[in-house]
Amino acid sequence: MDFTFKEEQRQFADALRRWVDKDYSFEARNKIIHSEAGVSDAAWATLAELGMTALPVPEAQGGFNGSAVDMLVVMQELGRGLVVEPYLATVLGAEFLRLGGGHDALLQQVAAGELKLACALGEKQARHDLFDIRTRATPTGEGYLLDGAKSVVLHGAQAGALIVSARSGGEQRDSAGISLFVVPADSAGVGVRDYRTIDGQRAASITFTQVRLPAASLLGAAGAGWDILDAAADYGATLLCAEAVGAMDAIFAATLEYLKTRTQFGAPIGKFQALQHRMADMFIHLEQARSMAMLAAGKVGSSDAEERRRTVSAAKVRVGQAAKFVGQQAVQLHGGIGVTNELPAAHHFKRLTMIELTLGDSDHHLERFIAQPGFKQTA
């Protein structure tokens, strides 16, 4: 696999980094986090102007038809800059629309930056099993009635439309019988409770009470949504791996700079061999995570679903392990200030912790990897 980024990809990354450095500083981000909205309309407009909202959308719907590798360079910069805008939620929703088909007008709005999406997939009893669904979609003569609840919907309150998984058949934990719907956020019967997560992002608990949906709101075929849900979740996990690499890049650089400037016993602490060894270990974990994130980006679009699942789960496990190690070492090497909100490194570690828990933690993906056909356990 060629790990060399194309010129266009480097230009995207450079444009994002310049914007973050100039207009999305750590201080500016803190103001956004503590604002009533928790996000910035101006920042979103800039992301759209830079072409970021159009990047993953097919050309036929006004986008650039960007690959997962194109998205990797973008997500790395967003992770490095601790950007809290609803970009991940929107591009993941766009992937659902792309895979399901039939909603071109919505994809056009996403590409233009006119529509934000959120994916209401998880439920409180399911933990990381997205097929564990109690939310019901009952067919009616004109469409469906939606009833249920979704938990920790990333940027659910900021979205104009929701991608919702619901059970139209089968038992609670069956992969068959799952249907996907596009639900306008302002539909009658939709209840949203917005809150801030530990990493400064926004999430929501969303309830659906007798929400009437037309037949056109169905995404893909009725009862056959699992393949789309599984593939889109892998796409989202791949983007999270890339974002985590960006965050680890930033926390590693900050720690290295601190070791160069913090003095003890008349010398920079970076001169102490024991701390140099710890930085070397951090670097190894970071580069292994980077390699796995790149591999996942290259394989997530594979037509071989088993290969996709194996690769994405392996990446999520390795990136999760690296994020924990790099984050903990960074905090310890900074000393007491490593856990203060005044230091960007603390916020990077919080974001890394949330990435680990989103769309399946390391334990979940390790079990998933082992469960794939072809895995042979040796004594």
Side-chain angles (χ1 to χ4, degrees):
M1 181 181 293
D2 184 4
F3 290 123
T4 304
F5 290 127
K6 299 176 183 177
E7 180 63 26
E8 294 84 354
Q9 293 167 338
R10 290 195 294 269
Q11 288 175 352
F12 262 109
D14 290 344
L16 262 181
R17 186 173 297 194
R18 287 194 300 269
W19 169 66
V20 169
D21 291 343
K22 180 177 181 291
D23 298 324
Y24 212 91
S25 65
F26 181 63
E27 293 74 18
R29 173 186 181 272
N30 282 340
K31 290 181 180 179
I32 293 171
I33 288 175
H34 293 97
S35 67
E36 184 177 352
V39 295
S40 167
D41 289 340
W44 185 258
T46 300
L47 288 172
E49 183 180 342
L50 291 172
M52 301 305 159
T53 55
L55 181 58
V57 176
E59 290 183 10
Q61 287 79 47
F64 298 145
N65 199 34
S67 67
V69 177
D70 296 324
M71 292 298 297
L72 178 141
V73 299
V74 170
M75 294 305 298
Q76 284 185 164
E77 294 304 321
L78 296 182
R80 185 178 286 108
L82 284 171
V83 175
V84 297
E85 309 309 318
Y87 185 75
L88 173 66
T90 297
V91 297
L92 178 56
E95 180 69 3
F96 273 98
L97 296 178
R98 186 187 71 82
L99 292 174
H103 294 271
D104 290 355
L106 294 181
L107 277 172
Q108 290 172 1
Q109 292 179 52
V110 170
E114 298 169 355
L115 177 65
K116 300 171 187 174
L117 300 173
C119 302
L121 310 175
E123 301 187 5
K124 64 180 182 180
Q125 83 286 345
R127 191 155 175 79
H128 299 302
D129 295 330
L130 296 181
F131 53 79
D132 188 336
I133 300 172
R134 289 178 179 169
T135 300
R136 302 291 305 188
T138 305
T140 65
E142 300 176 348
Y144 297 85
L145 276 180
L146 188 65
D147 289 277
K150 297 292 182 177
S151 302
V152 197
V153 180
L154 298 180
H155 287 107
Q158 289 72 44
L162 306 169
I163 309 298
V164 182
S165 59
R167 186 159 297 287
S168 56
E171 300 299 322
Q172 179 180 320
R173 291 179 60 84
D174 290 344
S175 58
I178 295 173
S179 296
L180 300 171
F181 298 91
V182 182
V183 181
D186 59 357
S187 299
V190 175
V192 179
R193 182 175 67 85
D194 184 34
Y195 55 89
R196 189 171 71 207
T197 54
I198 65 168
D199 56 347
Q201 304 273 339
R202 307 297 296 191
S205 298
I206 300 182
T207 58
F208 304 93
T209 306
Q210 293 286 285
V211 179
R212 293 189 175 275
L213 300 175
S217 66
L218 185 67
L219 188 61
W226 171 245
D227 287 343
I228 295 175
L229 175 55
D230 191 40
D234 277 347
Y235 179 80
T238 299
L239 299 188
L240 285 169
C241 287
E243 184 184 352
V245 169
M248 283 188 279
D249 271 333
I251 204 171
F252 178 85
T255 305
L256 182 60
E257 181 63 24
Y258 182 75
L259 295 188
K260 291 178 178 179
T261 56
R262 175 72 165 89
T263 59
Q264 191 71 39
F265 306 111
I269 61 176
K271 288 186 175 294
F272 302 152
Q273 192 174 54
L275 302 191
Q276 292 175 2
H277 289 169
R278 292 172 73 172
M279 287 299 298
D281 289 341
M282 288 173 65
F283 181 77
I284 291 170
H285 278 269
L286 170 56
E287 291 307 308
Q288 288 178 344
R290 192 190 313 278
S291 295
M292 288 305 298
M294 288 181 173
L295 180 62
K299 296 292 187 180
V300 72
S302 173
S303 58
D304 185 339
E306 292 176 5
E307 179 184 40
R308 184 200 75 225
R309 294 188 190 107
R310 282 196 303 269
T311 306
V312 172
S313 284
K316 195 68 163 59
V317 171
R318 188 64 195 94
V319 170
Q321 293 169 341
K324 181 178 180 179
F325 182 86
V326 171
Q328 288 180 343
Q329 291 296 315
V331 167
Q332 291 173 18
L333 289 169
H334 275 89
I337 63 170
V339 293
T340 62
N341 284 331
E342 288 75 21
L343 198 71
H347 293 262
H348 279 111
F349 192 20
K350 290 176 183 178
R351 180 59 187 150
L352 287 171
T353 301
M354 288 299 292
I355 288 175
E356 158 68 359
L357 297 173
T358 304
L359 293 178
D361 62 9
S362 295
D363 289 341
H364 170 85
H365 279 282
L366 183 59
E367 291 179 3
R368 183 180 186 238
F369 179 88
I370 293 171
Q372 294 308 305
F375 179 82
K376 185 176 180 180
Q377 189 172 11
T378 58

